[in-house]
Amino acid sequence: MNLLEERIQRDGVVKEGGVLKVDSFLNHQMDIALFRWMGEEWKRRFAGVPVTKILTIEASGIGIAAIAGECFSVPVVFAKKAKSVNLDGGMYTAEVESFTHKNKNRILVSRQFLAPGDRVLILDDFLANGCALQGLISIVNAAGATVAGIGIAIEKGFQPGGQALRNLGCRLESLAIIEEMDPASGRIRFRPQQPG
Ligand code: 5GP
């Protein structure tokens, strides 16, 4: 098991409805040493892939992406969830359905911060059905930029998002892929990964 898998095994809490709580180290309290390992691991996995920018989505992607940005030495942009529909045309937008909150959010990125020459690494904490990533990919496409790759901390392999993105030919690197998890016993089984 890698560092993230070990931490999920130790501190992750399996909830009903296919939800994993990782509040104690990933998306409420943040273990920055673990984030640094994740940033370095993506850097290793995407070695040789040119990246000019990292893109994530607020809120829980930001911490991870910020540390990864340092590892890649590139600027980090996060898509904002729109509070109003007060759009001035200076924004790329996409509609995203939230897995955890079951509502729809419009996400925005200023046209200033993505350019046609950009090679964008998209990062996020979880991959479930893939709605968040589809929204981010459509924003990169709207900017005429290129998706260089996608890095995910925790992919829930029993939900369809990861397979759908791989079928589209996306280069997807998930640091931990959960095959199954059981709320009654708390047991979590990971998909075996190639050692680094
Ligand atoms: P998707 O758009 O792929 O269906 O869901 C991805 C988003 O939903 C992530 O950005 C993450 O914030 C949230 N999410 C999905 N599944 C989980 C989960 O099991 N636990 C937590 N904490 N967040 C999740």
Side-chain angles (χ1 to χ4, degrees):
M1 274 198 285
N2 67 33
L3 267 186
L4 178 62
E5 291 168 329
E6 281 173 11
R7 193 59 179 273
I8 294 167
Q9 195 72 269
R10 198 181 84 198
D11 294 333
V13 180
V14 182
K15 299 291 203 187
E16 295 290 341
V19 173
L20 178 70
K21 279 199 78 159
V22 287
D23 284 24
S24 63
F25 59 96
L26 198 73
N27 53 22
H28 193 9
Q29 177 167 259
M30 298 183 286
D31 182 335
I32 303 303
L34 179 65
F35 285 16
R36 181 159 303 280
W37 176 83
M38 289 163 49
E40 297 294 352
E41 182 62 13
W42 280 315
K43 183 87 178 111
R44 187 184 70 76
R45 294 188 186 201
F46 287 106
V49 177
V51 171
T52 63
K53 208 157 265 195
I54 287 174
L55 176 66
T56 189
I57 182 167
E58 72 174 349
S60 37
I62 297 175
I64 296 166
I67 303 293
E70 212 175 22
C71 300
F72 281 80
S73 303
V74 297
V76 177
V77 178
F78 65 91
K80 297 188 172 203
K81 290 175 181 156
K83 305 275 180 304
S84 71
V85 276
N86 185 13
L87 303 176
D88 61 6
M91 299 281 188
Y92 299 113
T93 75
E95 191 89 23
V96 168
E97 184 158 351
S98 162
F99 173 78
T100 33
H101 303 288
K102 307 286 177 220
N103 60 347
K104 279 197 175 171
N105 278 302
R106 182 155 287 277
I107 60 166
L108 318 169
V109 174
S110 169
R111 287 175 183 263
Q112 275 182 282
F113 303 130
L114 279 180
D118 274 322
R119 295 189 46 90
V120 182
L121 176 63
I122 299 177
L123 297 181
D124 204 4
D125 59 342
F126 272 93
L127 171 55
N129 293 325
C131 297
L133 287 181
Q134 299 284 1
L136 292 172
I137 291 169
S138 78
I139 282 178
V140 173
N141 290 339
T146 304
V147 177
I150 300 172
I152 294 293
I154 306 173
E155 175 180 338
K156 292 188 292 182
F158 54 88
Q159 291 184 255
Q163 196 51 49
L165 287 162
R166 290 187 181 93
N167 289 347
L168 287 175
C170 293
R171 169 82 189 271
L172 172 60
E173 290 290 347
S174 301
L175 304 183
I177 304 179
I178 297 177
E179 287 291 22
E180 56 181 354
M181 53 185 203
D182 175 25
S185 63
R187 210 177 137 267
I188 297 170
R189 187 168 65 79
F190 295 102
R191 186 178 301 174
Q193 300 207 43
Q194 306 278 336

